[in-house]
Amino acid sequence: MTGFRVEASRTLTDAAFLSLEERHVVSSDGDAFYRVVVRHPGAVAVVPIDDDGFAVLIRQYRAAVDAVMLEIPAGKRDVPHESPEETAARELIEEIALAPGRITSLATFYNSPGFCDELTHLFLADELRAVDRPDGLRHEEAAMTVERVQLDEARGLIASGEIVDAKTIVGLLLAGRRLTGDD
Amino acid sequence: MTGFRVEASRTLTDAAFLSLEERHVVSSDGDAFYRVVVRHPGAVAVVPIDDDGFAVLIRQYRAAVDAVMLEIPAGKRDVPHESPEETAARELIEEIALAPGRITSLATFYNSPGFCDELTHLFLADELRAVDRPDGLRHEEAAMTVERVQLDEARGLIASGEIVDAKTIVGLLLAGRRLTGDD
């Protein structure tokens, strides 16, 4: 295959944690063109499994789609020097007030590599113990609610459109395979 | 749960098919805050299954991550009045030179609803027949190559990091379940 590489990049806009960038791409054939991309700091997402084998999900408002969605706990990688596992554990405490005894990797993926460099580290967490939620949570995080679902319900929730979040779909499908020993 | 809604939006930048937007969100409690979001026209993605039961994937350069990735065929919904199924069929012809005899829905999901409204319609396609690729493909599309994988290899390709694209992971996992009758 023809090789391509980014030869130069120019920031169009920085806003909140996002950056819109124009990239000049050149190929080994001498082909040259521009692409607009979104730079993102990366994310973690976690499937927390309680002692009864249920996945602990959250229902929260998402301004980007102006709707409430059912998702696994997740967050941006916006704390310097924090490993993905540390961010995952912190998000569980903040979002569902459960600290994980064990965290293992399920997958790592780009959410939408056609235009964005967001890389999500996806984990399974168990041996959960109840902790206090930290003070100071605001807006969507303060209003989110927790729901438990059985992993074998997941396909039905995806088929019915109750779960429409990519990381949650990947997480529940892979966690189901991991826990039933298909992996 | 506290209700939220977008009260006003302001475009920060339009570039290519993307729009960076600042949204003013208000809650039923009188809480008010801003969120920066990316507007995207939406996408289709298709798992094409050939007569031997293999999934037909493409290997293509992605400027957003400056790397070559193994993915299912996909494309933006950028042709007015084209249904998701029509876009899916067109992308199969353009990317792998196969026209589908049948297209059925696997799922619909937001790739990254924490900041972006991209909605992906995911399909399974089969009864494929060879056609000519259209003329005029350029850049990444002209350079892409086609690879066939067995669906039961998919988990290994995800675990090894060979497949790191969210829509491809969802597509191969759901297609595997559909074709083995687990759905």
Side-chain angles (χ1 to χ4, degrees):
Chain A
M1 194 173 77
T2 304
F4 296 93
R5 67 183 168 82
V6 174
E7 188 172 82
S9 292
R10 179 171 71 95
T11 299
L12 303 175
T13 314
D14 283 317
F17 60 93
L18 299 171
S19 180
L20 198 65
E21 195 173 281
E22 185 180 66
R23 296 187 149 187
H24 189 210
V25 178
V26 296
S27 81
S28 51
D29 292 346
D31 194 16
F33 53 95
Y34 290 89
R35 289 288 175 265
V36 173
V37 307
V38 174
R39 305 293 306 269
H40 183 288
V44 301
V46 197
V47 185
I49 302 293
D50 71 13
D51 292 345
D52 299 320
F54 284 62
V56 186
L57 306 190
I58 54 178
R59 197 176 283 275
Q60 70 181 320
Y61 174 77
R62 292 300 203 173
V65 297
D66 195 23
V68 171
M69 293 187 54
L70 188 60
E71 302 179 34
I72 55 174
K76 290 186 293 290
R77 296 194 61 198
D78 53 4
V79 173
H81 311 302
E82 200 175 59
S83 72
E85 289 81 358
E86 289 167 341
T87 309
R90 180 171 57 74
E91 291 290 345
L92 288 186
I93 294 168
E94 291 178 9
E95 298 195 336
I96 60 173
L98 292 170
R102 186 169 58 168
I103 289 186
T104 55
S105 177
L106 280 175
T108 301
F109 55 80
Y110 291 101
N111 295 64
S112 199
F115 77 96
C116 181
D117 70 349
E118 179 184 12
L119 183 69
T120 294
H121 298 264
L122 176 68
F123 298 101
L124 185 76
D126 58 5
E127 301 174 5
L128 308 175
R129 65 188 161 77
V131 294
D132 290 332
R133 283 183 95 185
D135 295 330
L137 300 176
R138 296 169 64 217
H139 307 317
E140 304 98 321
E141 277 206 327
M144 63 177 50
T145 56
V146 172
E147 295 185 26
R148 287 169 167 75
V149 304
Q150 285 186 284
L151 286 173
D152 56 15
E153 285 179 66
R155 186 62 190 101
L157 294 169
I158 297 163
S160 70
E162 174 72 12
I163 290 176
V164 290
D165 169 51
K167 68 180 175 300
T168 302
I169 296 173
V170 174
L172 294 179
L173 292 175
L174 290 183
R177 294 179 63 133
R178 173 83 50 98
L179 295 180
T180 55
D182 285 347
D183 265 0
Chain B
M1 192 173 79
T2 304
F4 297 93
R5 66 183 169 81
V6 174
E7 189 172 81
S9 293
R10 179 171 71 93
T11 299
L12 302 175
T13 313
D14 284 317
F17 60 93
L18 298 171
S19 180
L20 198 65
E21 192 173 283
E22 184 181 64
R23 296 187 149 189
H24 189 211
V25 179
V26 295
S27 81
S28 50
D29 293 346
D31 193 17
F33 52 95
Y34 291 89
R35 289 288 176 265
V36 172
V37 306
V38 174
R39 306 293 307 271
H40 184 288
V44 302
V46 197
V47 185
I49 303 292
D50 71 15
D51 291 346
D52 299 319
F54 284 62
V56 186
L57 306 190
I58 54 178
R59 197 175 282 276
Q60 69 180 320
Y61 174 77
R62 291 300 203 172
V65 297
D66 195 22
V68 171
M69 294 186 53
L70 188 60
E71 301 178 34
I72 55 175
K76 289 186 294 292
R77 296 192 61 197
D78 53 4
V79 173
H81 311 301
E82 199 175 59
S83 70
E85 289 80 358
E86 288 167 342
T87 310
R90 180 172 55 76
E91 291 291 344
L92 288 186
I93 294 168
E94 290 178 9
E95 298 194 335
I96 61 173
L98 292 170
R102 185 169 59 167
I103 289 187
T104 55
S105 178
L106 280 175
T108 302
F109 55 80
Y110 291 102
N111 295 64
S112 198
F115 77 96
C116 181
D117 70 348
E118 181 186 11
L119 183 69
T120 294
H121 298 263
L122 176 68
F123 298 100
L124 186 77
D126 59 5
E127 301 175 4
L128 308 175
R129 64 188 162 77
V131 294
D132 290 331
R133 282 183 97 185
D135 294 329
L137 300 176
R138 296 171 65 218
H139 308 316
E140 303 98 321
E141 278 204 326
M144 62 177 51
T145 56
V146 172
E147 295 186 25
R148 288 169 165 74
V149 304
Q150 285 186 287
L151 285 173
D152 56 14
E153 284 180 66
R155 186 62 190 100
L157 294 169
I158 298 163
S160 70
E162 175 72 13
I163 289 177
V164 291
D165 169 49
K167 67 180 176 296
T168 303
I169 296 173
V170 173
L172 294 179
L173 292 175
L174 291 182
R177 294 178 62 133
R178 173 82 51 98
L179 294 181
T180 55
D182 285 349
D183 265 0

